[in-house]
Amino acid sequence: MPHKLFEIDKEIPEREKHIYIKHCSDEDNEIDCNKSTIPGCMTERGCALAGGRGVITGAIKDVIGLVHSPVGCQYYTTGVKRYPSKPELPNGKTFPIDNFNLKYSFGTDLKEANVVFGGTKKLKEAIIESNKEYPFASAIYVNSTCTTGLIGDDVDAVCKEMTEELGKDVVAFNTPGFSGVSQSKGHHITNDAVFDRLVGTKEPPKTTGYDICLIGEYNIDGDLWVLEKYLTEMGLNILSRFSGDASHDELCWMHRSKLNLVRCQRSATYIADLIEEKYGVPYKKVDFFSTEYCDDNLRMLGRYFSLEEEAEAVIEKYHGEVKEELKWYKEQLSGKKVYIFSGGPKSWHLSIPLEKELGLDIIAVASQFEHLDGYDKMKARVKDGTTILDDPNSLELEELILTNKPDLILAGIKEKYLAYKHGIPAIQIHSYENGPYIGYEGFLNLAKDIYNNINAPVWKLMDFESE
Amino acid sequence: MSVNVYKRDRQVIIDPLVTCMPLGAMWAVLGINHGVPLVQGSQGCSTFARYHLARHFREPIEIAVSSFHESTAVFGGKKNLNISLKTLIQRQDPELIGVITTCSSEIIGDDVYGFVDSNKQELKELGYDNTEIIPINTPSFAGSHFAGYDNAIDALIKNLATPNENIECDNNINIIPGLLNPGDVNEIKHMLDSMFVPYTMLTDISETFDSPLNPKKQKTPYFGKGGTTVNDIKNISASKGTISIAKYAKTGAETLKQTHKVPAVTDNLPPIGIKGTDKFLKTVNKLSGYDIIDTLMTERGLTLDLMADVSARYLAGRKVVIFGDPTLVTGLTSLVIELGMEVVMVTTGSEEKTFPTDIESISKNQSIDVFSEGDLKVVEDYVKDKDNGVELILGSSEARFINYDTGIPLVRFGFPVYDRVGYHSQPIVGYRGAKRVVEMVTNEVLAKYYEEKHWKLQQ
């Protein structure tokens, strides 16, 4: 029986098809995914605005991110992810404000009258005022929301008019929260908008034979900077980043890359496909979590660009630095049971590395918004008996904790404290605890966090000592 | 002396100081024992709020959502609500569900009252009639999270409070705390308990937002510990009076006065600082008839003792900017002035009508710049203007970058505070809360404005 109906789900039997127990003879048994959530089931999913502004455009360092909405949607776009940025721009200049993307959010603050009479006038004023306040911003990105989608504000038209008036790109992202079944729709809309509106509109200051784009890498807690270091040291030139620590201009010349690397394959394969189709730039899906994936992918790049020796030097240097320490952590962590509850693809990125390199036992993997291709990878990368869940809800999480008694959960902030209440340590795998988590040193950071969480003395103090 | 009132002079909001109405309503509903907020809207409307509440309280925040998608925008949210209620009741059996509307459900014209009525009937036929279902209107474009909180408390009172003829009255008083932290609600309870005054907290987040870790006793599905029971709310009409701590949350008290003749005190300044707390205790004493006992006067004396130690020596004349919710800002302004410091600018981010006059009434001989409907950019521009000579900022973690960039200390208060721990579990209200604020403010001043090895710090 590959599918499983949790005890808590007996009133919502549709959930059975979303939960799958890996079994070698059931390879073709599909998992229900990318479908509407059952209302009221305590889902952990978010909305299209979260996927668009929260995940992708919020990482860009030199643009004004304007949310066309009542105050709430704008408020929630601040600080949702840890996306640091550096002020250096590709033209050699320095953006006057560091971490501009973390510091400032912009919004139209729609009120009742705007809902009745339309909000486009206010949107125009807000665009002009934001530009006046920060004239050095390279572009203005406008996100529409449930409210502006429903009242029918033509955000595209306003942005077009404003682009002409201000002489800089004002880009519309149509991301009402109710579009699609999860954040995933927001990724797709944003990929399409960046491609349609920006890619191919500018030329890079210079190009080399080693130009690459790092797509789907958002610089969570500094991840991108780790990869950038490896890639630059082996002689590659990062022409564009989509979108961690990226500048607006580099999105516009993504088509000039020689090879695109897709890191987060759920949120950003769309744009790599579009660029390949229109401009003939090939892409590779890459994986840099853990030492082994890092070795493999750096070697692959070495071969592709005939930089084999350089790649080996980088591998030797950075893998060498963490090897011994990781070995020690593996000894300490062997056999500990872990449940990976990720937003998207980290469930399949991390399952093999955690088992192979840290000795952990992955008992369950889940994703809020993966699609079938992602679940196929999950199935391929976990051992028999592992539970795979699509769009799990908090009651299922509790049942899984009580039945399987994991030693650790990798999840988001919403699940973290729930796990705590049941005595299970948890690490934030979306925004990280003490990251970066990518690359060699990142994997060591993750190992440290896992070790420190599982071994925190507090978890052994739960019972009152009566002696 | 005077206040100078300014209004934000742009349409665009740059880093808001307030969020949407649903968050306030969720806060209110989560203060009910086994209460579940159900957001009638898109998934982001619940997920974002859960994230922000979890980040501040470091607690599980369980909020349901009816998952609007494109089809809902076309066909309406009746089916979503119907399935949500059934699913929630079957799986979690809550005491109460607050149906919290959103921008989208209000714009498409969902009649949640009608939906809830027809659902109640259907659920009853299925044998599920133990759960109270309360519709709460909270379209974000109609106000801030303070207004959402107010609407929620009012909806709870309107729907639950029963006529008082058959209810035993024990000199109970009702307290509407507003968006206070668990430590503050606990401090209010401590003051009332010290006076032996029975009370009903409308609603009580002191434990639901600060629950103990005790896995062996943890039941599933998860509900935060404590909270006001539905039954207690049903009986509030028999109380001697209702005190709304926050002016923005007074509608429920007024409703209770109109419908059940329960006296309402809604115009006092909050019990932050000495005078505010004095006034609060006098009000409690007047409504309940219970005496203000010596223990509380000892606490008052301890706080005065510290104020005498530090105010003239370290704090006098230092220039302070305060931002946050209107209740917090008026309260802290009053306390900071009691310390002999100078409040130069305050802002709230919301449109609380009486805010400027409240500030004026406590401003003494100070001249205070009041920005109505401000945002964080207003605070930043003011603080970075060297002519203003700001030495201390009191407000939420959102001002952390202003603190890093200018080096001017930020003493964290209000919501959200996510880059320091313990702020929500300790009080700022009451005499003990005032003492804590004085300690926090003084320590920041000592760390920043006194050279650490200097002999001035030796005694």
Side-chain angles (χ1 to χ4, degrees):
Chain A
M1 288 296 287
H3 289 290
K4 181 181 173 177
L5 185 65
F6 275 39
E7 189 64 25
I8 192 70
D9 290 339
K10 58 181 188 295
E11 313 286 0
I12 43 171
E14 312 89 293
R15 284 293 304 154
E16 183 169 359
K17 291 274 176 201
H18 294 262
I19 300 170
Y20 180 94
I21 310 291
K22 160 92 183 257
H23 186 278
C24 57
S25 61
D26 290 314
E27 272 172 31
D28 295 331
N29 211 309
E30 285 189 357
I31 189 162
D32 251 3
C33 60
N34 199 25
K35 290 193 172 157
S36 304
T37 301
I38 299 166
C41 78
M42 311 301 290
T43 180
E44 312 287 332
R45 278 177 165 175
C47 68
L49 178 70
R53 169 87 172 97
V55 172
I56 301 178
T57 56
I60 301 166
K61 62 176 133 189
D62 59 343
V63 301
I64 285 166
L66 177 65
V67 181
H68 187 31
S69 70
V71 71
C73 306
Q74 178 203 355
Y75 181 87
Y76 297 125
T77 59
T78 59
V80 173
K81 278 256 175 85
R82 299 207 295 219
Y83 286 157
S85 63
K86 287 177 182 163
E88 288 82 24
L89 296 172
N91 60 7
K93 290 187 179 154
T94 303
F95 197 72
I97 298 175
D98 73 300
N99 287 299
F100 184 68
N101 59 316
L102 289 183
K103 282 180 181 168
Y104 300 105
S105 75
F106 300 77
T108 47
D109 189 21
L110 296 182
K111 297 284 167 61
E112 218 152 352
N114 310 121
V115 170
V116 177
F117 299 111
T120 48
K121 189 166 166 266
K122 207 169 182 188
L123 175 60
K124 276 183 212 171
E125 282 173 44
I127 291 170
I128 293 166
E129 287 169 349
S130 311
N131 189 56
K132 208 171 134 199
E133 201 71 53
Y134 300 99
F136 42 80
S138 309
I140 298 170
Y141 291 180
V142 181
N143 277 92
S144 69
T145 55
C146 291
T147 297
T148 46
L150 288 169
I151 64 175
D153 274 3
D154 190 346
V155 176
D156 289 288
V158 172
C159 290
K160 196 164 170 247
E161 189 189 325
M162 285 293 120
T163 302
E164 280 158 27
E165 192 176 319
L166 302 179
K168 65 169 75 169
D169 287 327
V170 182
V171 189
F173 294 90
N174 290 305
T175 49
F178 54 76
S179 345
V181 300
S182 69
Q183 296 93 310
S184 184
K185 186 71 176 182
H187 307 145
H188 199 157
I189 294 167
T190 307
N191 275 246
D192 284 350
V194 169
F195 181 77
D196 290 345
R197 184 71 176 73
L198 301 179
V199 175
T201 60
K202 287 190 173 131
E203 292 298 326
K206 67 171 176 91
T207 53
T208 70
Y210 299 100
D211 291 341
I212 54 167
C213 287
L214 204 42
I215 292 178
E217 172 49 62
Y218 306 113
N219 202 27
I220 298 172
D221 215 6
D223 267 2
L224 178 125
W225 294 330
V226 173
L227 295 183
E228 211 170 48
K229 182 174 66 181
Y230 302 161
L231 299 170
T232 317
E233 277 185 32
M234 67 180 272
L236 296 172
N237 176 46
I238 300 175
L239 192 69
S240 304
R241 287 144 300 182
F242 180 89
S243 58
D245 194 22
S247 62
H248 169 73
D249 285 355
E250 61 192 78
L251 300 182
C252 303
W253 60 62
M254 284 170 78
H255 61 299
R256 289 298 178 219
S257 163
K258 300 293 180 296
L259 177 71
N260 287 335
L261 308 181
V262 187
R263 237 276 297 127
C264 176
Q265 293 151 34
R266 175 74 281 125
S267 63
T269 307
Y270 311 106
I271 198 164
D273 273 328
L274 292 166
I275 292 173
E276 182 173 49
E277 199 181 302
K278 185 165 176 188
Y279 299 99
V281 182
Y283 71 86
K284 298 256 186 215
K285 293 181 174 179
V286 290
D287 195 332
F288 289 103
F289 285 106
S290 82
T291 63
E292 192 175 319
Y293 287 155
C294 241
D295 289 353
D296 292 350
N297 284 283
L298 292 175
R299 286 200 178 107
M300 178 274 290
L301 288 170
R303 282 192 302 275
Y304 191 92
F305 286 100
S306 300
L307 294 166
E308 283 100 334
E309 274 176 36
E310 290 82 350
E312 288 307 324
V314 170
I315 292 168
E316 199 185 322
K317 178 176 169 194
Y318 292 103
H319 194 161
E321 278 176 6
V322 299
K323 219 172 196 166
E324 286 308 307
E325 265 192 278
L326 279 174
K327 210 186 278 175
W328 184 84
Y329 280 110
K330 185 177 180 179
E331 283 162 20
Q332 307 304 312
L333 294 171
S334 272
K336 297 287 183 195
K337 293 193 285 185
V338 176
Y339 169 31
I340 314 173
F341 178 119
S342 75
K346 283 204 187 84
S347 286
W348 55 262
H349 278 303
L350 287 171
S351 50
I352 290 178
L354 293 183
E355 293 208 332
K356 247 174 113 172
E357 298 185 38
L358 295 178
L360 296 162
D361 179 12
I362 309 299
I363 56 166
V365 290
S367 170
Q368 288 176 31
F369 51 76
E370 257 296 2
H371 299 197
L372 205 52
D373 54 338
Y375 285 107
D376 284 343
K377 277 182 240 172
M378 259 183 251
K379 269 193 257 178
R381 291 181 177 198
V382 295
K383 65 176 184 306
D384 281 2
T386 306
T387 310
I388 304 172
L389 300 93
D390 168 64
D391 182 21
N393 54 65
S394 40
L395 283 78
E396 289 167 358
L397 173 65
E398 287 187 295
E399 185 171 330
L400 203 65
I401 288 174
L402 296 177
T403 29
N404 289 338
K405 304 259 182 327
D407 296 294
L408 180 78
I409 288 170
L410 305 181
I413 194 167
K414 301 194 299 296
E415 302 83 37
K416 175 183 166 109
Y417 298 113
L418 186 61
Y420 278 13
K421 292 295 188 228
H422 292 290
I424 309 297
I427 286 178
Q428 292 187 66
I429 201 64
H430 310 328
S431 300
Y432 303 173
E433 306 275 332
N434 300 293
Y437 284 167
I438 215 161
Y440 302 105
E441 58 253 60
F443 199 63
L444 181 61
N445 289 338
L446 178 60
K448 281 180 190 169
D449 273 346
I450 290 175
Y451 175 82
N452 288 337
N453 272 276
I454 290 180
N455 293 295
V458 63
W459 304 114
K460 297 196 176 64
L461 299 170
M462 293 296 143
D463 290 322
F464 181 74
E465 300 278 348
S466 52
E467 289 296 306
Chain B
M1 188 166 66
S2 67
V3 296
N4 319 306
V5 182
Y6 303 93
K7 212 171 150 84
R8 189 181 82 227
D9 57 359
R10 15 173 188 87
Q11 294 283 333
V12 68
I13 281 206
I14 305 176
D15 295 341
L17 300 176
V18 293
T19 184
C20 62
M21 285 177 89
L23 183 129
M26 294 165 194
W27 192 302
V29 172
L30 285 167
I32 292 172
N33 182 261
H34 286 213
V36 177
L38 165 63
V39 179
Q40 173 75 347
S42 303
Q43 283 155 184
C45 300
S46 112
T47 283
F48 277 129
R50 290 176 69 188
Y51 167 89
H52 278 262
L53 291 166
R55 179 164 79 141
H56 175 79
F57 294 113
R58 299 178 197 245
E59 288 287 331
I61 304 292
E62 295 298 304
I63 293 166
V65 61
S66 63
S67 296
F68 276 23
H69 299 313
E70 288 94 338
S71 58
T72 327
V74 180
F75 300 112
K78 186 175 182 181
K79 198 172 150 201
N80 296 59
L81 185 62
N82 181 290
I83 300 170
S84 299
L85 290 172
K86 216 186 298 176
T87 308
L88 276 174
I89 291 172
Q90 285 174 331
R91 300 172 85 213
Q92 279 156 279
D93 191 23
E95 289 286 314
L96 181 143
I97 298 171
V99 179
I100 295 166
T101 70
T102 58
C103 300
S104 28
S105 73
E106 296 279 353
I107 292 171
I108 63 175
D110 270 4
D111 171 19
V112 284
Y113 293 93
F115 296 173
V116 166
D117 275 348
S118 61
N119 268 298
K120 272 186 187 161
Q121 208 49 42
E122 196 184 317
L123 290 162
K124 203 173 177 181
E125 282 159 22
L126 290 168
Y128 301 115
D129 53 358
N130 295 327
T131 305
E132 296 286 347
I133 304 167
I134 314 289
I136 303 165
N137 288 103
T138 47
S140 185
F141 48 79
S144 66
H145 62 298
F146 315 125
Y149 179 89
D150 190 39
N151 281 10
I153 299 294
D154 190 42
L156 291 168
I157 290 172
K158 273 191 182 133
N159 284 281
L160 294 175
T162 49
N164 56 16
E165 292 102 38
N166 304 319
I167 305 170
E168 286 283 315
C169 176
D170 191 21
N171 297 331
N172 193 65
I173 63 166
N174 306 319
I175 305 277
I176 300 172
L179 293 143
L180 291 181
N181 276 313
D184 296 316
V185 177
N186 275 330
E187 189 62 20
I188 292 171
K189 287 160 84 171
H190 158 75
M191 290 189 279
L192 297 171
D193 287 339
S194 304
M195 291 168 69
F196 304 101
V197 177
Y199 57 86
T200 303
M201 202 58 78
L202 294 168
T203 61
D204 185 356
I205 50 78
S206 63
E207 288 179 290
T208 53
F209 282 167
D210 196 7
S211 281
L213 192 52
N214 193 353
K216 285 210 172 133
K217 290 201 170 160
Q218 186 60 58
K219 294 199 175 92
T220 54
Y222 179 84
F223 285 103
K225 191 172 174 275
T228 309
T229 63
V230 168
N231 223 25
D232 282 347
I233 302 178
K234 285 184 176 166
N235 291 340
I236 52 172
S237 66
S239 294
K240 289 283 186 188
T242 307
I243 301 174
S244 177
I245 304 280
K247 283 191 176 179
Y248 58 77
K250 63 183 176 185
T251 311
E254 283 161 359
T255 299
L256 207 51
K257 188 177 167 189
Q258 280 156 17
T259 53
H260 299 288
K261 301 191 174 56
V262 181
V265 181
T266 57
D267 264 349
N268 282 352
L269 296 177
I272 300 174
I274 298 296
K275 283 189 183 160
T277 308
D278 288 354
K279 184 85 203 247
F280 172 75
L281 293 177
K282 277 181 210 155
T283 307
V284 172
N285 163 267
K286 210 169 135 193
L287 287 176
S288 69
Y290 286 78
D291 293 336
I292 302 165
I293 62 154
D294 281 350
T295 324
L296 291 171
M297 289 305 105
T298 306
E299 288 171 8
R300 190 178 192 273
L302 285 168
T303 305
L304 292 179
D305 193 64
L306 177 68
M307 288 166 76
D309 292 343
V310 301
S311 53
R313 177 154 182 198
Y314 303 121
L315 307 177
R318 292 196 185 275
K319 291 183 175 168
V320 185
V321 160
I322 307 175
F323 72 91
D325 91 46
T327 299
L328 179 85
V329 174
T330 18
L332 285 174
T333 302
S334 177
L335 174 52
V336 163
I337 291 173
E338 285 170 358
L339 285 168
M341 302 173 90
E342 191 185 332
V343 180
V344 288
M345 188 275 239
V346 293
T347 186
T348 73
S350 72
E351 60 275 62
E352 180 69 26
K353 299 272 182 304
T354 65
F355 179 67
T357 38
D358 288 343
I359 293 295
E360 186 156 31
S361 74
I362 50 180
S363 68
K364 302 274 174 170
N365 53 353
Q366 302 194 358
S367 168
I368 303 176
D369 294 333
V370 178
F371 285 79
S372 61
E373 294 188 62
D375 55 17
L376 198 63
K377 175 76 172 136
V378 166
V379 177
E380 180 183 338
D381 288 346
Y382 196 93
V383 170
K384 287 187 174 170
D385 184 343
K386 290 211 163 47
D387 290 346
N388 293 323
V390 177
E391 292 172 280
L392 208 61
I393 309 164
L394 272 50
S396 74
S397 294
E398 304 287 29
R400 68 198 185 284
F401 285 113
I402 304 176
N403 164 232
Y404 306 153
D405 288 351
T406 61
I408 296 169
L410 167 67
V411 194
R412 282 140 175 97
F413 290 108
F415 177 85
V417 174
Y418 43 74
D419 59 347
R420 295 288 186 273
V421 296
Y423 281 63
H424 70 269
S425 57
Q426 300 296 322
I428 64 166
V429 304
Y431 300 125
R432 299 195 303 189
K435 185 160 181 281
R436 175 171 169 259
V437 175
V438 178
E439 289 161 1
M440 286 160 72
V441 166
T442 309
N443 286 336
E444 285 291 342
V445 167
L446 291 175
K448 172 73 187 179
Y449 296 108
Y450 287 79
E451 199 194 318
E452 59 183 64
K453 291 177 188 164
H454 200 276
W455 44 265
K456 278 190 201 300
L457 287 177
Q458 280 176 29
Q459 56 171 304

